[in-house]
Amino acid sequence: MTDAPVLRATGLTKSFPLRRSALGRVVDRVRAVDGVDLTVTAGRTLGIVGESGSGKTTVSRLVSRLLTVDAGTVEVDGVDVTAARGRALKALRASLQMIFQDPYGALDPTKTVGHAVAEPLLVHGRIGRRELTDRAADLLSRVTLDPGLVHRYPEELSGGQRQRVCIARALALEPRILVADEPTSALDLSTRSEILNLLLRLQKENGQAIVLVSHDFATVRHLSHRIVVMYLGRVVEEGPAALVAGEPLHPYTEALLSAVPVADPDEQRGRKRIVLHGDPPDPARPPSGCRFRTRCPVAMDECARIDPPLVPVGGERSVACLRHPGPAPVEPAAAAAIRVAR
Amino acid sequence: MTAAPLATGTAPDTAGALLSVRGLTLDLVGGTPQPGLVQGVEFTVPKGRSVALIGESGCGKTLTAMAILGLLPRAVRVVSGEIVFAGTDLLTCGPRELRRIRGGPVGAVFQEPMSSLNPTMTVGDQIAEARRIHFREGRRTAREHARELLDRVGIPDARRRLDSYPHEMSGGMQQRVMIAAAIAGEPRLVVADEPTTALDVTIQAEILELLRDLRRDLGLAVLLVTHDLGVVADFCDEVVVMYAGHVVERAPVRDAFRTPAHPYTSALLGSVPRSDHARTPLQVIGGRVPPAGSFPGGCRFQPRCRHTAPACAEPQPDTVVGSGHHTRCGRVAAGGLQPGREL
Ligand SMILES: Nc1ncnc2c1ncn2[C@@H]1O[C@H](COP(=O)(O)OP(=O)(O)OP(=O)(O)O)[C@@H](O)[C@H]1O
Ligand SMILES: Nc1ncnc2c1ncn2[C@@H]1O[C@H](COP(=O)(O)OP(=O)(O)O)[C@@H](O)[C@H]1O
Ligand code: SF4
Ligand SMILES: [Mg+2]
Ligand SMILES: [Mg+2]
């Protein structure tokens, strides 16, 4: 394991057309992702949380190159893959794989489980047809599924089993990066634990970098080393998981966490609740200044004028909020005074 | 009227119950008939209290809720049991009486507001409808009450919103409209099947806050179906745990979380991630809920339980292990296993 990032994205920006004029010209766009930076190192998990519509899925599809960026760059192992096509894109698939929320939609109902799992190996010419069953059985046992399932069809499996099949398939090419978009959101509580345990174990064994996208703070906190909090297409806070989840700095992170009820009646009933009023604003028309200001419980007058940038505030964390300006720049006169005092 | 305090330890005795479900058994008829989808379900909802109905997917929570609301799918039949609401058995009373109760003293809120709200009717008309049916109000009065109700559930600019259609609103707003419609009949009980599962946590917090206010102001009792143990801890006074069509445990909320008396409840609690145990393996319940029709005899949790013994294959009677605390684990009942999180 090294500290060099296996995946680095800078300035990711993507907008989607909302409406077109009679002549087919786009007249209204929604900026789903607006200047997002991410870095993930080997063997580590980066969690992305935020409400629905905050741009999490769009970010994960941009870094996976399932969508093309409007602006920004994506690097895998130091290689710029932002505009990769053809062979380069195929090579990217071998180092980066995705797991999706819906294990039902992700599998072709007409293909056996064995085929689903080993298909990437066939496509990449790593195995011949005759090896398919054996390799598929291997992969299934890595995700603790009965290798006997190779001849079954997806409809015969439960949601949790299907999600494991998807994970086995994602592992087939031994990617260095897994991007998982809400991998447990469609699953029951107990099945969710199984999938989270599986991701933890696989990461310990193979040292993959994982990008875990979820609207569920508990899931993200459980798996992540670092957490990115998104609001309306922007990163509003980023830092070590324990700090972001334990001592949030951004008012949005604080509100989001306080809204997650704790499964302990005494603790939960003694908690301070910050109820955010109103729905998130229309992402096509974000508020002026700080995008969170319309729901922010501690907004100030200048929050309507100044759009706070994401700035480091020490302790390896960054925050985009005018109430957390980071270390104040030292005035030249004061700096001179300090030098004289020395 | 004031809501009952969030006390624990008092027995939910049937005498003071607003709703009491006794021996409810539902069979699947037609197709491949399957007996005992829901079997011998017993629990009560005391006046003004909030009771959680929890369990994994497919354990019979929705069917139980639908039986109470008289909305069971055609293929599902009530074989036996009683559902007594304020002295009336909803399963044997006439259709007229039922119409008086449903949408009146018993309201309903579901997971998907869009599938329960009528897309072709303005929200004002949908809310006013309950007032017109249950209180024989005229158009003007019903509309004025609908506006008050929208206001009450926190919809800004209620007068203008009366003429909106459901699809013009966000998911959180639709859920508020559904709650407004549910309380329009001035219910004493609201049955809510996963009312916040489809919503963001921030919106969930607002909806739970609203339901809490309504309970306080109107003395409402709530039967809340949920998967989220955090929501149970936050909102409910009592917990009913279902597994494969059986009620396996019921308890006041603190007892259910501190001293669960059924291995299934304890396993569910153990699978919740805890902030002080990040990146460590979570407890899992091996296997899964058997499909209806292939339930084992005796305790239905047997094949997945860590403590299975030969006696578990026998029927497990409902046993009281504490004040208002019932289990259907014979091993706990016999004292061989201690209630608690380690169960
Ligand atoms: N219309 C129906 N026809 C046949 N079987 C049904 C029908 N509705 C429910 N069932 C079966 O009854 C059992 C209980 O279903 P129910 O919907 O009550 O579960 P639930 O506990 O609400 O689950 P979830 O948490 O997924 O909502 C399941 O085995 C289900 O497959
Ligand atoms: N293919 C698309 N076409 C149009 N708008 C889209 C598309 N994908 C996402 N959006 C919009 O972009 C924003 C971010 O969406 P998404 O990335 O899916 O958020 P999240 O995953 O956080 O819920 C939302 O406003 C969404 O409606
Ligand atoms: S910048 Fe202002 S409005 Fe934005 S989060 Fe900070 S205090 Fe709230
Ligand atoms: Mg998404
Ligand atoms: Mg249900």
Side-chain angles (χ1 to χ4, degrees):
Chain A
M1 265 181 239
T2 66
D3 279 349
V6 273
L7 175 67
R8 173 155 58 194
T10 46
L12 292 181
T13 299
K14 181 75 181 174
S15 66
F16 296 104
L18 267 186
R19 277 188 312 125
R20 284 171 196 277
S21 69
L23 297 173
R25 239 189 30 182
V26 173
V27 293
D28 206 358
R29 304 183 73 87
V30 53
R31 199 167 262 205
V33 172
D34 190 8
V36 166
D37 298 340
L38 300 176
T39 305
V40 201
T41 49
R44 307 226 123 206
T45 304
L46 177 75
I48 306 182
V49 281
E51 287 166 289
S52 71
S54 58
K56 307 180 297 296
T57 294
T58 307
V59 164
S60 62
R61 299 178 73 88
L62 288 172
V63 299
S64 310
R65 285 295 326 275
L66 296 178
L67 277 175
T68 351
V69 301
D70 293 346
T73 55
V74 182
E75 282 173 27
V76 169
D77 283 327
V79 178
D80 188 335
V81 298
T82 320
R85 300 149 156 259
R87 199 179 291 175
L89 195 55
K90 195 168 168 185
L92 173 65
R93 290 284 156 263
S95 34
L96 185 153
Q97 285 278 320
M98 269 197 89
I99 303 164
F100 301 92
Q101 169 170 1
D102 177 17
Y104 295 85
L107 296 172
D108 182 343
T110 65
K111 302 264 172 66
T112 62
V113 166
H115 189 95
V117 167
E119 189 180 30
L121 291 168
L122 278 179
V123 171
H124 283 256
R126 305 253 183 108
I127 59 167
R129 291 218 160 255
R130 289 168 50 206
E131 294 154 273
L132 187 141
T133 306
D134 282 353
R135 288 300 291 273
D138 274 356
L139 285 163
L140 289 178
S141 48
R142 282 182 65 196
V143 297
T144 58
L145 278 177
D146 177 4
L149 292 178
V150 283
H151 301 297
R152 301 281 201 86
Y153 286 87
E155 65 166 23
E156 299 169 57
L157 307 185
S158 70
Q161 287 176 314
R162 283 177 212 223
Q163 194 57 291
R164 277 169 213 249
V165 169
C166 295
I167 294 174
R169 177 187 162 92
L171 291 174
L173 296 169
E174 295 175 18
R176 307 195 43 205
I177 307 159
L178 281 177
V179 178
D181 186 8
E182 310 268 6
T184 57
S185 301
L187 306 175
D188 243 336
L189 194 62
S190 54
T191 321
R192 175 177 81 177
S193 322
E194 289 175 29
I195 298 297
L196 296 183
N197 287 352
L198 175 64
L199 289 173
L200 276 174
R201 179 171 65 74
L202 291 171
Q203 187 175 46
K204 289 213 169 101
E205 287 171 8
N206 311 314
Q208 270 119 358
I210 297 181
V211 178
L212 174 74
V213 171
S214 178
H215 69 279
D216 180 24
F217 222 125
T219 298
V220 164
R221 177 170 51 194
H222 191 70
L223 243 60
S224 305
H225 295 93
R226 295 184 73 81
I227 294 179
V228 162
V229 183
M230 288 189 68
Y231 188 76
L232 283 188
R234 294 273 184 87
V235 174
V236 296
E237 178 159 8
E238 199 268 339
L243 289 178
V244 173
E247 299 155 31
L249 292 176
H250 197 283
Y252 175 64
T253 316
E254 221 183 328
L256 195 59
L257 272 163
S258 96
V260 180
V262 177
D264 178 312
D266 291 317
E267 188 185 340
Q268 174 59 22
R269 286 167 203 210
R271 281 174 83 212
K272 177 176 76 138
R273 239 185 301 260
I274 306 167
V275 175
L276 285 183
H277 291 285
D279 294 329
D282 178 358
R285 278 165 212 79
S288 66
C290 172
R291 295 180 173 206
F292 183 55
R293 74 176 166 86
T294 52
R295 295 166 86 201
C296 179
V298 294
M300 309 170 288
D301 286 345
E302 62 254 51
C303 300
R305 283 185 287 109
I306 307 168
D307 187 358
L310 186 68
V311 292
V313 292
E316 292 181 56
R317 26 192 340 198
S318 304
V319 180
C321 168
L322 296 178
R323 289 196 178 264
H324 297 276
V330 182
E331 304 262 334
I338 291 168
R339 268 198 300 276
V340 170
R342 279 220 203 105
Chain B
M1 214 189 289
T2 52
L6 295 176
T8 62
T10 42
D13 62 318
T14 314
L18 176 64
L19 176 81
S20 121
V21 178
R22 295 187 206 128
L24 180 70
T25 298
L26 306 175
D27 281 4
L28 183 67
V29 295
T32 329
Q34 282 155 3
L37 279 188
V38 161
Q39 180 126 47
V41 160
E42 305 245 351
F43 65 90
T44 57
V45 179
K47 226 175 80 193
R49 295 287 197 108
S50 165
V51 176
L53 196 53
I54 64 171
E56 284 162 285
S57 205
C59 284
K61 306 179 297 293
T62 295
L63 285 181
T64 302
M66 291 303 174
I68 296 166
L69 296 168
L71 297 173
L72 281 175
R74 272 178 187 286
V76 178
R77 252 332 115 68
V78 178
V79 189
S80 56
E82 296 177 347
I83 298 178
V84 180
F85 173 77
T88 308
D89 185 352
L90 303 181
L91 296 176
T92 54
C93 70
R96 197 148 179 221
E97 183 69 357
L98 268 187
R99 273 200 302 277
R100 185 190 67 79
I101 291 174
R102 293 184 178 123
V106 178
V109 179
F110 303 104
Q111 176 173 350
E112 293 293 341
M114 272 317 272
S115 62
S116 330
L117 294 171
N118 182 341
T120 64
M121 235 170 129
T122 65
V123 301
D125 286 348
Q126 297 188 53
I127 298 168
E129 191 171 61
R131 300 295 307 182
R132 299 180 60 159
I133 294 173
H134 290 278
F135 303 100
R136 301 178 177 282
E137 289 178 351
R139 267 190 70 85
R140 291 264 299 275
T141 320
R143 188 175 158 87
E144 188 48 30
H145 276 137
R147 188 198 55 77
E148 280 171 20
L149 284 159
L150 283 182
D151 226 17
R152 181 67 196 82
V153 298
I155 291 193
D157 204 359
R159 185 169 301 283
R160 195 175 53 82
R161 280 299 186 179
L162 281 175
D163 299 316
S164 299
Y165 289 89
H167 67 86
E168 296 168 340
M169 302 180 136
S170 68
M173 295 258 258
Q174 289 169 359
Q175 202 54 295
R176 284 169 188 275
V177 168
M178 194 135 101
I179 292 172
I183 62 171
E186 299 181 7
R188 300 176 62 196
L189 171 70
V190 167
V191 177
D193 190 353
E194 305 203 36
T196 59
T197 306
L199 306 174
D200 270 314
V201 281
T202 48
I203 312 293
Q204 165 173 288
E206 277 188 279
I207 297 288
L208 292 177
E209 196 73 11
L210 167 63
L211 287 172
R212 218 187 311 271
D213 289 351
L214 293 172
R215 282 185 61 202
R216 191 192 56 223
D217 300 346
L218 313 173
L220 269 187
V222 177
L223 178 64
L224 181 78
V225 176
T226 179
H227 280 129
D228 187 333
L229 295 174
V231 170
V232 177
D234 185 45
F235 187 76
C236 299
D237 303 317
E238 285 161 28
V239 183
V240 176
V241 186
M242 288 191 76
Y243 183 76
H246 278 162
V247 168
V248 294
E249 178 163 7
R250 6 182 208 142
V253 67
R254 284 189 177 86
D255 300 342
F257 279 82
R258 280 216 204 109
T259 49
H262 196 285
Y264 180 59
T265 313
S266 147
L268 277 182
L269 290 166
S271 60
V272 178
R274 285 175 39 185
S275 52
D276 48 344
H277 286 70
R279 291 190 54 83
T280 57
L282 296 162
Q283 194 177 324
V284 298
I285 320 175
R288 59 188 164 118
V289 185
S294 47
F295 297 139
C299 172
R300 290 179 172 181
F301 188 52
Q302 267 182 82
R304 301 174 73 191
C305 183
R306 296 197 280 171
H307 305 291
T308 311
C312 304
E314 303 300 322
Q316 307 288 304
D318 181 305
T319 309
V320 176
V321 292
S323 179
H325 196 161
H326 299 240
T327 181
R328 283 185 70 171
C329 171
R331 296 206 60 197
V332 171
L337 295 173
Q338 280 305 310
R341 297 291 290 252
E342 272 66 57
L343 198 60

CSV table of all heavy atoms in Angstrom, one decimal, chain A residues 3 39 81 157 180 234 249-250 321:
chain,number,residue,atom,x,y,z
A,3,ASP,N,0.7,5.8,-0.3
A,3,ASP,CA,-0.2,6.9,-0.1
A,3,ASP,C,-0.5,7.6,-1.4
A,3,ASP,O,-1.3,8.6,-1.4
A,3,ASP,CB,0.4,7.9,0.9
A,3,ASP,CG,0.1,7.3,2.3
A,3,ASP,OD1,-0.7,6.4,2.4
A,3,ASP,OD2,0.7,7.8,3.3
A,39,THR,N,-10.0,12.4,-3.7
A,39,THR,CA,-8.8,11.6,-3.8
A,39,THR,C,-9.0,10.3,-3.0
A,39,THR,O,-9.5,10.4,-1.9
A,39,THR,CB,-7.6,12.4,-3.1
A,39,THR,OG1,-7.5,13.7,-3.8
A,39,THR,CG2,-6.3,11.7,-3.3
A,81,VAL,N,-7.5,9.7,-17.4
A,81,VAL,CA,-8.5,8.9,-18.2
A,81,VAL,C,-9.7,9.7,-18.5
A,81,VAL,O,-10.7,9.2,-19.0
A,81,VAL,CB,-8.9,7.7,-17.4
A,81,VAL,CG1,-7.7,6.8,-17.1
A,81,VAL,CG2,-9.6,8.0,-16.1
A,157,LEU,N,-32.7,-15.8,-7.1
A,157,LEU,CA,-31.9,-15.4,-5.9
A,157,LEU,C,-32.6,-14.2,-5.1
A,157,LEU,O,-33.4,-13.5,-5.7
A,157,LEU,CB,-30.5,-14.9,-6.4
A,157,LEU,CG,-29.7,-15.8,-7.3
A,157,LEU,CD1,-28.4,-15.1,-7.6
A,157,LEU,CD2,-29.5,-17.1,-6.6
A,180,ALA,N,-19.0,2.0,-5.4
A,180,ALA,CA,-20.3,1.4,-5.0
A,180,ALA,C,-21.3,2.5,-4.8
A,180,ALA,O,-21.2,3.3,-3.9
A,180,ALA,CB,-20.1,0.5,-3.8
A,234,ARG,N,-22.1,20.4,-4.7
A,234,ARG,CA,-20.8,20.9,-4.1
A,234,ARG,C,-20.4,20.0,-2.9
A,234,ARG,O,-21.3,19.5,-2.2
A,234,ARG,CB,-21.0,22.3,-3.6
A,234,ARG,CG,-21.3,23.3,-4.6
A,234,ARG,CD,-20.0,23.8,-5.2
A,234,ARG,NE,-20.2,24.9,-6.1
A,234,ARG,CZ,-20.3,26.2,-5.8
A,234,ARG,NH1,-20.2,26.6,-4.5
A,234,ARG,NH2,-20.5,27.1,-6.7
A,249,LEU,N,-18.4,20.1,11.3
A,249,LEU,CA,-18.2,21.5,11.4
A,249,LEU,C,-19.2,22.3,10.6
A,249,LEU,O,-19.8,23.3,11.0
A,249,LEU,CB,-16.8,21.9,10.9
A,249,LEU,CG,-15.6,21.4,11.8
A,249,LEU,CD1,-14.3,21.8,11.1
A,249,LEU,CD2,-15.8,22.1,13.2
A,250,HIS,N,-19.5,21.8,9.4
A,250,HIS,CA,-20.5,22.5,8.5
A,250,HIS,C,-21.9,22.3,9.1
A,250,HIS,O,-22.3,21.2,9.5
A,250,HIS,CB,-20.4,21.9,7.1
A,250,HIS,CG,-21.1,22.9,6.1
A,250,HIS,ND1,-22.5,23.0,6.0
A,250,HIS,CD2,-20.6,23.7,5.2
A,250,HIS,CE1,-22.7,23.9,5.0
A,250,HIS,NE2,-21.6,24.3,4.6
A,321,CYS,N,-17.9,27.0,4.6
A,321,CYS,CA,-18.9,27.8,5.3
A,321,CYS,C,-18.2,29.0,5.9
A,321,CYS,O,-17.1,29.0,6.4
A,321,CYS,CB,-19.4,26.9,6.5
A,321,CYS,SG,-20.3,27.9,7.7
